[in-house]
Coordinates of all heavy atoms in Angstrom, one line a residue:
M186 N -10.1 -8.9 4.9 CA -9.9 -9.1 6.3 C -10.2 -7.8 7.0 O -10.9 -7.8 8.0 CB -8.5 -9.5 6.6 CG -8.2 -9.7 8.0 SD -6.5 -10.4 8.2 CE -6.5 -10.8 9.8
F187 N -9.7 -6.7 6.5 CA -10.0 -5.4 7.1 C -10.9 -4.6 6.2 O -10.9 -4.7 5.0 CB -8.7 -4.6 7.3 CG -7.8 -5.2 8.3 CD1 -6.7 -6.0 7.9 CD2 -8.0 -4.9 9.7 CE1 -5.9 -6.6 8.9 CE2 -7.1 -5.5 10.6 CZ -6.1 -6.4 10.2
A188 N -11.7 -3.7 6.8 CA -12.6 -2.8 6.0 C -12.8 -1.5 6.7 O -12.6 -1.4 8.0 CB -14.0 -3.5 5.8
L189 N -13.1 -0.5 6.0 CA -13.3 0.9 6.6 C -14.7 0.9 7.2 O -15.6 0.2 6.8 CB -13.2 1.9 5.5 CG -11.9 2.2 4.9 CD1 -12.1 3.2 3.8 CD2 -10.9 2.7 5.9
L190 N -14.8 1.7 8.3 CA -16.1 1.9 8.9 C -17.0 2.7 7.9 O -16.5 3.5 7.1 CB -16.0 2.7 10.2 CG -15.2 2.0 11.3 CD1 -15.0 3.0 12.5 CD2 -15.9 0.8 11.8
P191 N -18.3 2.4 7.9 CA -19.1 3.0 6.8 C -19.2 4.6 6.9 O -19.4 5.2 5.9 CB -20.5 2.4 7.1 CG -20.4 1.7 8.4 CD -19.0 1.5 8.7
D192 N -18.9 5.2 8.1 CA -19.0 6.6 8.2 C -17.7 7.3 8.0 O -17.5 8.5 8.2 CB -19.6 7.0 9.5 CG -18.8 6.5 10.7 OD1 -17.9 5.7 10.5 OD2 -19.0 7.1 11.8
H193 N -16.7 6.6 7.5 CA -15.4 7.1 7.3 C -15.4 8.2 6.2 O -16.2 8.1 5.3 CB -14.4 6.0 6.9 CG -13.0 6.3 7.5 ND1 -12.2 7.2 6.8 CD2 -12.3 5.8 8.5 CE1 -11.0 7.2 7.5 NE2 -11.1 6.4 8.5
T194 N -14.5 9.1 6.2 CA -14.4 10.2 5.2 C -14.3 9.7 3.8 O -13.7 8.7 3.5 CB -13.1 11.1 5.5 OG1 -13.1 12.1 4.4 CG2 -11.9 10.3 5.5
P195 N -15.0 10.4 2.9 CA -15.0 9.9 1.5 C -13.7 10.4 0.7 O -13.5 10.0 -0.4 CB -16.2 10.6 0.9 CG -16.5 11.8 1.7 CD -16.0 11.4 3.1
E196 N -13.0 11.3 1.4 CA -11.8 11.8 0.8 C -10.7 10.7 0.5 O -10.6 9.9 1.4 CB -11.1 12.9 1.7 CG -10.0 13.7 1.0 CD -9.5 14.8 2.0 OE1 -10.1 15.1 3.0 OE2 -8.4 15.3 1.7
R197 N -10.1 10.7 -0.6 CA -9.1 9.7 -0.9 C -7.9 10.3 -1.6 O -8.0 11.4 -2.2 CB -9.7 8.6 -1.9 CG -10.9 7.9 -1.3 CD -10.4 6.9 -0.3 NE -11.5 6.0 0.2 CZ -12.3 6.2 1.2 NH1 -12.2 7.4 1.9 NH2 -13.2 5.4 1.5
L198 N -6.8 9.6 -1.6 CA -5.6 9.9 -2.4 C -5.1 8.5 -3.0 O -5.5 7.5 -2.5 CB -4.6 10.7 -1.7 CG -4.0 10.1 -0.4 CD1 -3.0 9.0 -0.6 CD2 -3.4 11.2 0.4
T199 N -4.3 8.6 -4.0 CA -3.8 7.4 -4.7 C -2.4 7.1 -4.4 O -1.5 8.0 -4.4 CB -4.0 7.5 -6.2 OG1 -5.4 7.7 -6.5 CG2 -3.5 6.3 -6.9
V200 N -2.1 5.9 -3.9 CA -0.7 5.4 -3.7 C -0.5 4.2 -4.6 O -1.5 3.6 -5.1 CB -0.4 5.1 -2.2 CG1 -0.6 6.3 -1.4 CG2 -1.3 4.0 -1.7
I201 N 0.7 3.8 -4.8 CA 1.0 2.6 -5.6 C 1.5 1.5 -4.6 O 2.6 1.7 -4.0 CB 2.1 2.9 -6.6 CG1 1.8 4.2 -7.4 CG2 2.4 1.7 -7.5 CD1 0.6 4.1 -8.2
I202 N 0.8 0.5 -4.5 CA 1.1 -0.7 -3.6 C 1.5 -1.8 -4.5 O 0.7 -2.3 -5.3 CB 0.0 -1.0 -2.7 CG1 -0.3 0.2 -1.7 CG2 0.4 -2.3 -1.9 CD1 -1.4 -0.1 -0.7
N203 N 2.8 -2.3 -4.4 CA 3.3 -3.4 -5.2 C 2.9 -3.2 -6.7 O 2.5 -4.1 -7.4 CB 2.8 -4.7 -4.7 CG 3.4 -5.1 -3.4 OD1 4.4 -4.5 -3.0 ND2 2.8 -6.0 -2.7
G204 N 3.1 -1.9 -7.2 CA 2.9 -1.6 -8.6 C 1.4 -1.4 -9.0 O 1.2 -1.1 -10.2
E205 N 0.5 -1.4 -8.1 CA -0.9 -1.2 -8.4 C -1.4 0.0 -7.7 O -1.2 0.3 -6.5 CB -1.7 -2.4 -7.9 CG -3.2 -2.4 -8.1 CD -4.0 -3.5 -7.6 OE1 -3.4 -4.6 -7.3 OE2 -5.2 -3.4 -7.4
A206 N -2.1 0.9 -8.5 CA -2.7 2.1 -8.0 C -3.9 1.8 -7.1 O -4.8 1.1 -7.6 CB -3.1 3.0 -9.1
V207 N -3.8 2.3 -5.9 CA -5.0 2.0 -5.0 C -5.4 3.3 -4.3 O -4.5 4.2 -4.1 CB -4.7 1.0 -3.9 CG1 -4.4 -0.4 -4.5 CG2 -3.5 1.4 -3.0
S208 N -6.6 3.4 -3.9 CA -7.2 4.6 -3.3 C -7.2 4.4 -1.8 O -7.7 3.4 -1.3 CB -8.6 4.8 -3.8 OG -9.2 6.0 -3.2
V209 N -6.6 5.4 -1.0 CA -6.5 5.3 0.4 C -7.0 6.6 1.1 O -7.1 7.6 0.4 CB -5.1 4.9 0.9 CG1 -4.6 3.6 0.4 CG2 -4.1 6.0 0.6
V210 N -7.3 6.5 2.3 CA -7.8 7.6 3.1 C -6.6 8.4 3.5 O -5.6 7.9 4.1 CB -8.6 7.2 4.3 CG1 -9.0 8.3 5.2 CG2 -9.8 6.4 3.9
P211 N -6.6 9.8 3.3 CA -5.5 10.6 3.9 C -5.4 10.4 5.4 O -6.4 10.3 6.1 CB -5.9 12.0 3.5 CG -6.9 11.9 2.4 CD -7.6 10.6 2.6
G212 N -4.1 10.3 5.8 CA -3.9 10.1 7.3 C -3.6 8.7 7.6 O -3.1 8.4 8.7
F213 N -3.9 7.8 6.7 CA -3.5 6.4 6.9 C -2.0 6.2 6.9 O -1.3 7.0 6.3 CB -4.0 5.5 5.7 CG -5.3 4.8 5.9 CD1 -6.3 5.4 6.7 CD2 -5.6 3.6 5.2 CE1 -7.5 4.7 6.8 CE2 -6.8 3.0 5.4 CZ -7.8 3.5 6.2
T214 N -1.5 5.2 7.6 CA -0.1 4.9 7.5 C 0.1 3.9 6.3 O -0.9 3.3 5.8 CB 0.4 4.2 8.8 OG1 -0.3 3.0 8.9 CG2 0.2 5.1 10.0
A215 N 1.3 3.8 5.9 CA 1.6 2.9 4.8 C 1.2 1.5 5.2 O 0.7 0.7 4.4 CB 3.1 3.0 4.4
A216 N 1.5 1.1 6.5 CA 1.1 -0.2 6.9 C -0.4 -0.4 6.9 O -0.8 -1.5 6.5 CB 1.6 -0.4 8.4
A217 N -1.2 0.5 7.3 CA -2.6 0.4 7.2 C -3.1 0.2 5.8 O -4.0 -0.6 5.5 CB -3.3 1.6 7.9
A218 N -2.5 1.0 4.9 CA -2.8 0.9 3.5 C -2.5 -0.5 2.9 O -3.3 -1.1 2.2 CB -2.1 1.9 2.6
M219 N -1.4 -1.1 3.3 CA -1.0 -2.4 2.9 C -2.0 -3.4 3.5 O -2.5 -4.3 2.8 CB 0.4 -2.8 3.4 CG 1.5 -2.1 2.6 SD 1.8 -2.9 1.1 CE 3.3 -3.8 1.5
L220 N -2.3 -3.3 4.8 CA -3.3 -4.3 5.4 C -4.6 -4.2 4.7 O -5.3 -5.3 4.6 CB -3.4 -4.0 6.9 CG -2.2 -4.4 7.7 CD1 -2.4 -3.9 9.2 CD2 -2.0 -5.9 7.7
L221 N -5.1 -3.0 4.3 CA -6.4 -2.9 3.7 C -6.4 -3.4 2.3 O -7.5 -3.9 1.9 CB -6.8 -1.4 3.7 CG -8.3 -1.1 3.4 CD1 -9.2 -1.8 4.4 CD2 -8.5 0.4 3.4
H222 N -5.3 -3.4 1.6 CA -5.3 -3.8 0.2 C -4.6 -5.1 -0.2 O -4.7 -5.5 -1.3 CB -4.8 -2.6 -0.7 CG -5.7 -1.4 -0.6 ND1 -6.8 -1.3 -1.4 CD2 -5.6 -0.3 0.1 CE1 -7.4 -0.1 -1.1 NE2 -6.7 0.5 -0.2
L223 N -3.9 -5.6 0.8 CA -3.3 -6.9 0.5 C -3.8 -7.9 1.5 O -4.2 -7.6 2.6 CB -1.7 -6.8 0.7 CG -1.0 -5.9 -0.3 CD1 0.5 -5.9 0.1 CD2 -1.1 -6.4 -1.7
S224 N -3.7 -9.2 1.1 CA -4.0 -10.2 2.1 C -2.7 -11.0 2.2 O -1.9 -11.2 1.3 CB -5.1 -11.1 1.6 OG -4.8 -11.7 0.4
G225 N -2.4 -11.4 3.4 CA -1.1 -12.2 3.7 C 0.0 -11.3 4.1 O -0.1 -10.2 4.6
A226 N 1.2 -11.8 3.8 CA 2.5 -11.2 4.3 C 2.8 -9.9 3.5 O 2.5 -9.7 2.3 CB 3.6 -12.1 4.1
T227 N 3.3 -8.9 4.3 CA 3.8 -7.7 3.6 C 5.3 -7.6 3.6 O 5.9 -6.7 3.1 CB 3.3 -6.4 4.4 OG1 3.7 -6.5 5.8 CG2 1.7 -6.4 4.4
R228 N 6.0 -8.6 4.2 CA 7.4 -8.8 4.0 C 7.8 -10.2 4.3 O 6.9 -11.0 4.8 CB 8.2 -7.9 5.0 CG 8.2 -8.3 6.4 CD 9.1 -7.4 7.3 NE 9.2 -7.9 8.7 CZ 10.2 -8.6 9.2 NH1 11.2 -9.0 8.4 NH2 10.1 -9.0 10.4
T229 N 9.0 -10.6 3.9 CA 9.5 -11.9 4.4 C 10.8 -11.7 5.2 O 11.5 -10.7 5.0 CB 9.8 -12.8 3.1 OG1 10.8 -12.2 2.3 CG2 8.6 -13.1 2.3
T230 N 11.1 -12.6 6.1 CA 12.2 -12.5 6.9 C 13.5 -12.7 6.2 O 13.5 -13.4 5.2 CB 12.1 -13.4 8.2 OG1 12.1 -14.7 7.7 CG2 10.9 -13.1 9.0
A231 N 14.6 -12.2 6.7 CA 15.9 -12.3 6.1 C 16.5 -13.7 6.2 O 17.2 -14.2 5.3 CB 16.9 -11.3 6.7
I232 N 16.2 -14.4 7.3 CA 16.8 -15.7 7.5 C 16.0 -16.9 6.9 O 16.4 -17.6 6.1 CB 17.0 -16.0 9.0 CG1 17.9 -14.9 9.6 CG2 17.7 -17.3 9.3 CD1 19.3 -14.7 9.1
S233 N 14.7 -17.0 7.4 CA 13.9 -18.2 7.0 C 13.0 -17.9 5.8 O 12.5 -18.8 5.1 CB 13.0 -18.6 8.1 OG 12.0 -17.6 8.4
G234 N 12.8 -16.6 5.4 CA 11.9 -16.2 4.4 C 10.4 -16.3 4.7 O 9.6 -16.2 3.9
E235 N 10.2 -16.5 6.0 CA 8.8 -16.6 6.5 C 8.1 -15.2 6.3 O 8.7 -14.2 6.5 CB 8.9 -17.0 8.0 CG 7.5 -17.3 8.6 CD 7.6 -17.8 10.0 OE1 8.8 -18.1 10.5 OE2 6.6 -17.9 10.7
G236 N 6.8 -15.3 6.0 CA 6.0 -14.1 5.8 C 5.7 -13.4 7.2 O 5.5 -14.1 8.2
R237 N 5.6 -12.1 7.1 CA 5.3 -11.3 8.3 C 4.3 -10.2 7.8 O 4.2 -9.9 6.6 CB 6.5 -10.6 8.9 CG 7.4 -11.5 9.6 CD 6.9 -12.0 10.9 NE 7.8 -12.6 11.8 CZ 8.1 -13.9 11.8 NH1 7.4 -14.7 11.0 NH2 9.0 -14.4 12.6
A238 N 3.6 -9.6 8.7 CA 2.7 -8.5 8.4 C 2.7 -7.6 9.6 O 3.1 -8.0 10.7 CB 1.2 -9.0 8.2
P239 N 2.3 -6.3 9.4 CA 2.3 -5.4 10.5 C 1.5 -5.9 11.7 O 0.4 -6.5 11.5 CB 1.6 -4.1 9.9 CG 1.9 -4.2 8.5 CD 1.9 -5.7 8.2
Y240 N 2.0 -5.7 12.9 CA 1.4 -6.3 14.1 C 1.1 -5.3 15.2 O -0.1 -5.1 15.5 CB 2.4 -7.3 14.7 CG 1.9 -8.0 15.9 CD1 0.8 -8.9 15.8 CD2 2.5 -7.8 17.2 CE1 0.3 -9.5 17.0 CE2 2.0 -8.5 18.3 CZ 0.9 -9.3 18.2 OH 0.4 -9.9 19.3
C241 N 2.1 -4.5 15.7 CA 1.8 -3.6 16.8 C 1.2 -2.3 16.3 O 0.5 -1.6 17.1 CB 3.0 -3.4 17.6 SG 4.3 -2.3 16.8
M242 N 1.5 -1.8 15.1 CA 1.1 -0.6 14.5 C 1.5 0.6 15.4 O 0.8 1.7 15.3 CB -0.5 -0.6 14.3 CG -0.9 -1.7 13.4 SD -0.2 -1.5 11.7 CE -1.3 -0.3 11.0
M243 N 2.6 0.5 16.1 CA 3.0 1.6 16.9 C 4.5 1.7 17.0 O 5.1 2.3 18.0 CB 2.4 1.6 18.3 CG 2.7 0.4 19.1 SD 1.9 0.5 20.7 CE 2.6 -0.9 21.6
G244 N 5.3 1.1 16.1 CA 6.7 1.3 16.0 C 7.5 0.4 16.9 O 8.7 0.7 17.1
V245 N 7.0 -0.7 17.4 CA 7.7 -1.5 18.4 C 8.2 -2.8 17.8 O 9.4 -3.2 17.9 CB 6.8 -1.8 19.6 CG1 7.5 -2.8 20.6 CG2 6.5 -0.5 20.3
C246 N 7.4 -3.5 17.0 CA 7.8 -4.9 16.6 C 8.6 -5.0 15.3 O 9.2 -6.0 15.0 CB 6.5 -5.7 16.4 SG 5.5 -5.3 14.9
F247 N 8.6 -4.0 14.5 CA 9.3 -4.0 13.2 C 8.8 -5.0 12.2 O 9.5 -5.3 11.2 CB 10.9 -4.1 13.4 CG 11.5 -2.9 14.0 CD1 11.3 -2.5 15.3 CD2 12.3 -2.1 13.2 CE1 11.9 -1.4 15.8 CE2 12.8 -0.9 13.7 CZ 12.7 -0.6 15.0
D248 N 7.7 -5.6 12.4 CA 7.1 -6.5 11.4 C 6.5 -5.8 10.2 O 6.1 -6.4 9.3 CB 6.1 -7.4 12.1 CG 6.8 -8.7 12.6 OD1 7.9 -9.0 12.2 OD2 6.2 -9.3 13.5
C249 N 6.5 -4.5 10.2 CA 6.0 -3.7 9.1 C 7.0 -3.2 8.2 O 6.7 -2.3 7.4 CB 5.1 -2.6 9.7 SG 6.2 -1.4 10.6
L250 N 8.3 -3.7 8.3 CA 9.3 -3.1 7.4 C 8.9 -3.3 5.9 O 8.4 -4.4 5.5 CB 10.6 -3.9 7.6 CG 11.3 -3.6 9.0 CD1 12.6 -4.4 9.1 CD2 11.5 -2.1 9.2
M251 N 9.0 -2.2 5.2 CA 8.6 -2.2 3.8 C 9.5 -1.2 3.0 O 10.2 -0.4 3.6 CB 7.1 -2.0 3.6 CG 6.6 -0.7 4.3 SD 4.8 -0.6 4.3 CE 4.3 -2.0 5.3
E252 N 9.4 -1.3 1.7 CA 10.1 -0.3 0.9 C 9.1 0.8 0.5 O 8.0 0.6 0.0 CB 10.6 -1.0 -0.4 CG 11.3 0.0 -1.3 CD 11.6 -0.6 -2.7 OE1 12.4 -1.6 -2.7 OE2 11.1 -0.2 -3.7
I253 N 9.5 2.1 0.9 CA 8.6 3.2 0.6 C 9.4 4.2 -0.2 O 10.5 4.7 0.2 CB 8.1 3.8 1.9 CG1 7.3 2.8 2.7 CG2 7.3 5.1 1.7 CD1 6.9 3.3 4.1
N254 N 8.9 4.5 -1.4 CA 9.6 5.4 -2.3 C 11.0 5.1 -2.6 O 11.9 5.9 -2.6 CB 9.4 6.9 -1.8 CG 8.0 7.4 -1.9 OD1 7.2 7.0 -2.8 ND2 7.7 8.4 -1.1
G255 N 11.2 3.8 -2.7 CA 12.6 3.2 -3.0 C 13.5 3.0 -1.9 O 14.6 2.5 -2.0
E256 N 13.1 3.4 -0.7 CA 13.9 3.2 0.5 C 13.4 2.0 1.3 O 12.3 2.0 1.8 CB 13.8 4.5 1.5 CG 14.4 5.7 0.9 CD 15.9 5.7 0.9 OE1 16.5 5.0 1.7 OE2 16.4 6.3 -0.1
P257 N 14.3 1.0 1.4 CA 13.9 -0.2 2.1 C 14.0 0.0 3.7 O 14.5 1.0 4.1 CB 15.0 -1.3 1.7 CG 16.2 -0.5 1.4 CD 15.6 0.9 0.8
N258 N 13.5 -1.0 4.4 CA 13.5 -1.0 5.9 C 12.8 0.2 6.5 O 13.2 0.6 7.6 CB 15.0 -1.0 6.3 CG 15.7 -2.3 5.9 OD1 15.1 -3.4 6.0 ND2 16.9 -2.2 5.5
Q259 N 11.7 0.6 5.9 CA 10.9 1.7 6.5 C 9.9 1.1 7.4 O 9.2 0.1 6.9 CB 10.3 2.6 5.4 CG 11.3 3.2 4.5 CD 12.3 4.1 5.2 OE1 11.9 5.1 5.8 NE2 13.6 3.8 5.1
Q260 N 9.6 1.6 8.5 CA 8.6 1.1 9.4 C 7.2 1.7 8.9 O 6.9 2.9 9.2 CB 8.8 1.5 10.8 CG 9.8 0.7 11.5 CD 10.0 1.1 13.0 OE1 10.8 2.0 13.2 NE2 9.3 0.5 13.9
G261 N 6.5 0.9 8.1 CA 5.3 1.4 7.5 C 4.3 1.9 8.5 O 3.5 2.8 8.1
C262 N 4.3 1.5 9.7 CA 3.3 1.9 10.7 C 3.5 3.3 11.2 O 2.7 3.9 11.8 CB 3.1 1.0 11.8 SG 4.5 1.0 13.0
L263 N 4.7 3.9 10.8 CA 5.1 5.2 11.3 C 5.1 6.2 10.1 O 5.5 7.4 10.4 CB 6.4 5.2 12.0 CG 6.6 4.3 13.2 CD1 8.0 4.3 13.8 CD2 5.5 4.6 14.3
V264 N 4.8 5.8 8.9 CA 4.8 6.7 7.8 C 3.4 7.0 7.3 O 2.7 6.0 6.9 CB 5.7 6.0 6.6 CG1 5.7 6.9 5.4 CG2 7.1 5.7 7.1
I265 N 3.0 8.2 7.2 CA 1.7 8.6 6.7 C 1.8 8.7 5.2 O 2.7 9.2 4.6 CB 1.3 10.0 7.3 CG1 1.3 10.0 8.8 CG2 0.0 10.5 6.7 CD1 0.3 9.1 9.5
V266 N 0.8 8.1 4.6 CA 0.7 8.1 3.1 C 0.6 9.5 2.5 O 0.1 10.4 3.1 CB -0.4 7.3 2.6 CG1 -0.3 5.8 2.9 CG2 -1.8 7.8 3.0
S267 N 1.2 9.7 1.3 CA 1.0 10.9 0.5 C 0.7 10.5 -0.9 O 1.0 9.4 -1.3 CB 2.3 11.7 0.6 OG 3.4 11.0 0.1
A268 N 0.1 11.4 -1.6 CA -0.3 11.1 -3.0 C 0.9 10.6 -3.8 O 2.0 11.3 -3.8 CB -0.9 12.3 -3.6
G269 N 0.8 9.5 -4.5 CA 1.8 9.0 -5.4 C 2.9 8.2 -4.7 O 3.8 7.7 -5.3
M270 N 2.7 8.0 -3.4 CA 3.7 7.2 -2.6 C 3.8 5.8 -3.2 O 2.8 5.2 -3.5 CB 3.3 7.2 -1.2 CG 4.3 6.4 -0.3 SD 3.8 6.4 1.5 CE 4.6 8.0 2.0
R271 N 5.0 5.3 -3.3 CA 5.2 3.9 -3.8 C 5.6 3.1 -2.6 O 6.6 3.3 -2.0 CB 6.3 3.9 -4.9 CG 5.9 4.6 -6.2 CD 7.1 4.7 -7.2 NE 8.1 5.7 -6.7 CZ 9.3 5.4 -6.3 NH1 9.7 4.1 -6.3 NH2 10.1 6.3 -5.8
I272 N 4.7 2.1 -2.4 CA 4.9 1.2 -1.2 C 5.0 -0.2 -1.8 O 4.2 -0.7 -2.5 CB 3.7 1.3 -0.3 CG1 3.4 2.7 0.1 CG2 3.9 0.4 0.9 CD1 2.0 2.9 0.7
N273 N 6.1 -0.9 -1.4 CA 6.3 -2.3 -1.9 C 6.6 -3.2 -0.7 O 7.3 -2.8 0.3 CB 7.5 -2.3 -2.8 CG 7.2 -1.7 -4.1 OD1 6.2 -1.9 -4.7 ND2 8.1 -0.8 -4.5
A274 N 6.1 -4.4 -0.8 CA 6.4 -5.4 0.2 C 7.9 -5.7 0.1 O 8.5 -5.5 -0.9 CB 5.7 -6.7 -0.1
Q275 N 8.5 -6.0 1.2 CA 10.0 -6.2 1.3 C 10.3 -7.7 1.4 O 9.7 -8.4 2.2 CB 10.5 -5.5 2.5 CG 12.0 -5.5 2.7 CD 12.5 -4.5 3.7 OE1 12.4 -3.3 3.5 NE2 13.1 -5.0 4.7
Q276 N 11.2 -8.1 0.5 CA 11.5 -9.5 0.5 C 12.9 -9.8 1.1 O 13.9 -9.2 0.6 CB 11.5 -10.0 -1.0 CG 10.2 -9.8 -1.7 CD 9.0 -10.4 -1.0 OE1 9.1 -11.6 -0.6 NE2 7.9 -9.7 -0.9
G277 N 13.0 -10.5 2.1 CA 14.3 -10.9 2.7 C 15.0 -9.7 3.3 O 14.4 -8.7 3.7
N278 N 16.4 -9.7 3.1 CA 17.2 -8.7 3.7 C 17.7 -7.8 2.5 O 18.5 -8.2 1.7 CB 18.5 -9.3 4.3 CG 19.4 -8.2 4.9 OD1 19.2 -7.1 4.8 ND2 20.5 -8.7 5.5
P279 N 17.1 -6.6 2.5 CA 17.5 -5.7 1.4 C 18.9 -5.0 1.6 O 19.3 -4.2 0.8 CB 16.4 -4.6 1.4 CG 16.0 -4.6 2.8 CD 16.2 -6.0 3.3
G280 N 19.5 -5.3 2.7 CA 20.8 -4.7 3.0 C 20.7 -3.4 3.7 O 19.6 -2.8 3.9
V281 N 21.8 -2.8 4.1 CA 21.8 -1.5 4.8 C 22.2 -0.4 3.8 O 23.1 -0.6 3.0 CB 22.9 -1.6 5.9 CG1 23.0 -0.2 6.6 CG2 22.5 -2.6 6.9
Q282 N 21.4 0.6 3.8 CA 21.6 1.7 2.9 C 22.6 2.7 3.6 O 22.4 3.1 4.7 CB 20.3 2.4 2.6 CG 19.2 1.5 2.0 CD 19.7 1.1 0.6 OE1 20.0 1.9 -0.3 NE2 19.7 -0.2 0.4
A283 N 23.6 3.2 2.9 CA 24.5 4.1 3.4 C 24.0 5.5 3.2 O 23.2 5.8 2.4 CB 25.9 4.0 2.7
Ligands
LIG592 S1 3.7 -2.7 13.0 FE1 5.1 -3.0 14.7 S2 6.7 -1.6 14.3 FE2 5.3 -1.2 12.7

């Protein structure tokens, strides 16, 4: 569904998305990395279990909630990727972390 522009930088780093090592462009957000490498939902809702995916990409809609480096409920559109980052789709309500 999404693809990089052909003149985009060749520089890459590796992140782990749902357990799979993928190559992404430095400066990408976790949400952009998910959209580029997954098709379909990146989380499910707590009540109905309906699938959602990043929408606004600017911190407003919260449809990009995901688990990043073991921390649930992270807004993926506001987190810049780093080498080795572990990004997982979030299923339902992971609860509130103290
Ligand atoms: S995509 Fe809307 S808050 Fe992240």
Side-chain angles (χ1 to χ4, degrees):
M186 179 175 193
F187 293 95
L189 293 176
L190 295 174
D192 62 342
H193 212 284
T194 176
E196 188 179 346
R197 297 286 188 271
L198 56 79
T199 300
V200 298
I201 311 298
I202 297 179
N203 291 343
E205 181 182 341
V207 298
S208 179
V209 299
V210 175
F213 264 31
T214 64
M219 287 280 258
L220 287 172
L221 194 59
H222 294 282
L223 294 179
S224 59
T227 60
R228 74 174 183 100
T229 59
T230 63
I232 303 299
S233 69
E235 191 175 346
R237 290 284 192 271
Y240 180 68
C241 74
M242 299 299 279
M243 61 182 188
V245 176
C246 72
F247 286 76
D248 272 337
C249 63
L250 292 179
M251 54 189 65
E252 182 188 293
I253 298 176
N254 290 333
E256 293 289 328
N258 295 319
Q259 302 300 302
Q260 283 180 276
C262 71
L263 302 180
V264 177
I265 302 298
V266 294
S267 59
M270 178 179 276
R271 291 173 291 112
I272 307 166
N273 291 311
Q275 183 165 298
Q276 305 301 318
N278 180 359
V281 176
Q282 301 294 306

